[in-house]
Every structure is written in structure tokens, then in C-alpha cells.
Amino acid sequence: MDKSERESFTKAVYDIVKTIPLGRATSYAAIARAVGYPNFSRLVGQVMKNNNTRTEKIPAHRVVNSQGKLSGKDAFGSGNEMQSLLESEGITVINDKIADWKTIYWNPIDEIEL
DNA sequence: GGCGTGACTATGG
DNA sequence: ACCATAGCCACGC
């Protein structure tokens, strides 16, 4: 995977993340699949981390791991920043895990096929 | 090229 | 539910 390919990958990921509806959330793997790179879930996480430090505007807090767990919360400011953002959007978080994950989960593929 | 690391996952104890 | 393993991919040393 060369430089330009990573760029388009990153751009595609951004587009998906910006499409996540308010009050919903998705996983790294789901995004990876949506952009056509089914085995790049770790790269999606890497992109989210980079975005966090930069001044972009994508709802990175709506991206969690396949279990609905906030595996990237430490990358957000105060330590519970990610959870606060989610709860302010109506998502309940218990023990770093999204409650009723099965219902909150939003699969980007479904939106694309529509 | 080898090796460790990380916002990942699926599977098996 | 928790821990260990084993695939996975890019990056830095």
C-alpha cells in the first residue's frame, strides 16, 4: 500500500465516519469493509487517532470496537471525553461499553446499498 | 529485513 | 466474562 493509496483510504474512512447518524455508532471493522479493505480495521483505528490530534471535524467518538467498547477513549482529552460526547447524543455507556450495542450499531454497508 | 507496538477481530480455554 | 493466541497492516527503530 503506497502513499496515495493510504490517502484515498483515509479519505474514504473520513467520508464514512462523517455519515454516521447522530445517536448511532459503528466499528472499525465495519468501516474497513465499507471502504473495500476488510482486513484494515487496525488502520482505521490509526486514522482515528491521527484525526484526534488534528483539527478535523469527524465524529470519531462514534467509532468503537466490534464489542461496542470505547477502546480509543484514552485518545480523547479528559479521560471520559469520548463517553461524554456519546451520552450527549443519547447513547448510554456502561463500563466503557455502549449499552444495547446491537441496536445502536450502524452498518455503513446498509447505507451504501440503499 | 527483524521486532515490537497499536482506537482491531475471531476463536478457544 | 476474562486471558491467551493467532491473523491482520502500517510505522518506527
Side-chain angles (χ1 to χ4, degrees):
Chain A
M1 180 175 244
D2 56 40
K3 186 176 180 180
S4 66
E5 202 174 353
R6 282 205 312 282
E7 282 181 17
S8 58
F9 171 79
T10 301
K11 187 182 184 302
V13 170
Y14 275 36
D15 287 338
I16 298 294
V17 177
K18 283 189 289 190
T19 311
I20 304 175
L22 191 65
R24 303 293 295 285
T26 189
S27 73
Y28 305 95
I31 295 174
R33 284 194 295 271
V35 298
Y37 294 82
N39 298 356
F40 285 52
S41 50
R42 308 191 79 147
L43 271 292
V44 174
Q46 185 175 294
V47 171
M48 291 302 104
K49 189 180 180 69
N50 293 331
N51 175 82
N52 187 58
T53 61
R54 299 175 188 179
T55 319
E56 298 282 336
K57 44 173 186 274
I58 67 175
H61 55 284
R62 298 184 191 146
V63 184
V64 297
N65 72 8
S66 64
Q67 308 303 306
K69 242 191 146 189
L70 286 51
S71 49
K73 57 169 295 188
D74 295 334
F76 287 77
S78 58
N80 65 324
E81 180 68 25
M82 188 177 184
Q83 176 168 338
S84 299
L85 287 168
L86 288 171
E87 302 199 306
S88 70
E89 298 180 352
I91 296 177
T92 303
V93 178
I94 301 173
N95 217 295
D96 290 346
K97 188 167 101 283
I98 291 179
D100 203 3
W101 173 233
K102 209 179 169 182
T103 303
I104 298 299
Y105 179 72
W106 177 80
N107 190 331
I109 298 294
D110 296 336
E111 197 68 16
I112 294 175
E113 297 300 337
L114 284 175

